[in-house]
């Protein structure tokens, strides 16, 4: 089996309660998974921790400094170009203005609206997890 491609991605969260929003970014219209929406991130470099990787990717792709506040369960997915392991982290904004440096668009979306965007197949369970974590509560009958 070929090597697993190790990737760190960040779920940048802003606001709380009914105002909570998550940042998503659109991949370039050419290359792997062209035009899909994603959580910013990228491939782990040599001698780098997953947390350092996600912080570096936000700086490179969107020009902002973030910090890691938590982690989510890793997901493995087999694409035709190889097996990708996504290592997701919750992040918060620290400084800088968002710019589309290596993405073509970005949006702040309500967790429940994440399902309206086309994410890579590997992200499906992660999107559901984020919706639950960020308050996608089910109303309980009393
Ligand atoms: N960034 C990111 N990559 C994802 C997500 N979901 C997912 O399957 N991937 C896959 O993870 C792999 C690596 O991500 P990437 O293309 O962002 O890597 P990168 O920033 O280092 O880009 P580069 O290789 O052009 O330098 C790709 O195969 C991509 O399709 C996601 O939500 N965010
Ligand atoms: Mg990337």
């Amino acid at each position: 089996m070929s090597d697993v491609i190790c990737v760190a991605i960040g779920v940048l969260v802003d606001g709380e309660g009914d105002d909570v929003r998550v940042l998503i970014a659109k991949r370039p219209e050419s290359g792997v998974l062209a035009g899909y929406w994603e959580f910013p991130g990228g491939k782990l470099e040599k001698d780098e921790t997953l947390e350092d990787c996600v912080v570096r990717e936000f700086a490179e792709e969107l020009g902002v400094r973030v910090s890691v506040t938590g982690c989510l369960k890793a997901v493995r997915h087999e694409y035709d170009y190889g097996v990708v392991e996504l290592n997701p982290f919750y992040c918060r904004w620290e400084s800088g203005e968002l710019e589309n440096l290596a993405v073509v668009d970005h949006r702040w979306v309500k967790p429940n609206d994440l399902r309206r965007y086309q994410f890579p197949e590997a992200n499906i369970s992660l999107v559901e997890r984020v919706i639950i974590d960020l308050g996608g509560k089910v109303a309980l009958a009393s």
Side-chain angles (χ1 to χ4, degrees):
M1 201 183 86
S2 56
D3 287 345
V4 171
I5 304 162
C6 190
V7 173
I9 60 176
V11 182
L12 180 60
V13 182
D14 191 42
E16 48 192 85
D18 288 346
D19 291 328
V20 73
R21 297 285 187 282
V22 172
L23 186 83
I24 60 171
K26 197 168 198 264
R27 295 176 68 88
E29 295 294 346
S30 62
V32 167
L33 297 174
Y36 275 72
W37 289 90
E38 66 171 14
F39 295 115
K43 298 184 198 82
L44 186 69
E45 290 185 352
K46 200 169 165 284
D47 300 329
E48 182 179 52
T49 65
L50 289 166
E51 287 88 341
D52 289 345
C53 176
V54 79
V55 170
R56 173 180 57 74
E57 291 285 351
F58 269 86
E60 290 178 2
E61 298 185 346
L62 290 144
V64 288
R65 195 164 67 83
V66 301
S67 59
V68 168
T69 57
C71 71
L72 289 122
K73 203 172 142 214
V75 192
R76 277 192 184 200
H77 188 79
E78 189 172 352
Y79 288 106
D80 51 10
Y81 49 86
V83 177
V84 170
E85 182 181 273
L86 295 180
N87 294 275
F89 293 92
Y90 280 117
C91 300
R92 77 163 172 242
W93 176 86
E94 293 289 345
S95 63
E97 297 282 325
L98 286 166
E99 286 176 83
N100 297 330
L101 300 177
V103 299
V104 297
D105 197 4
H106 68 264
R107 261 176 225 179
W108 287 104
V109 302
K110 289 182 188 178
N112 270 321
D113 291 342
L114 286 169
R115 296 193 194 97
R116 297 185 185 175
Y117 293 85
Q118 189 184 26
F119 279 88
E121 229 178 286
N123 289 59
I124 306 298
S125 59
L126 174 61
V127 162
E128 294 305 315
R129 184 71 246 168
V130 169
I131 292 170
I132 292 169
D133 284 352
L134 298 181
K137 294 189 190 81
V138 178
L140 296 175
S142 52

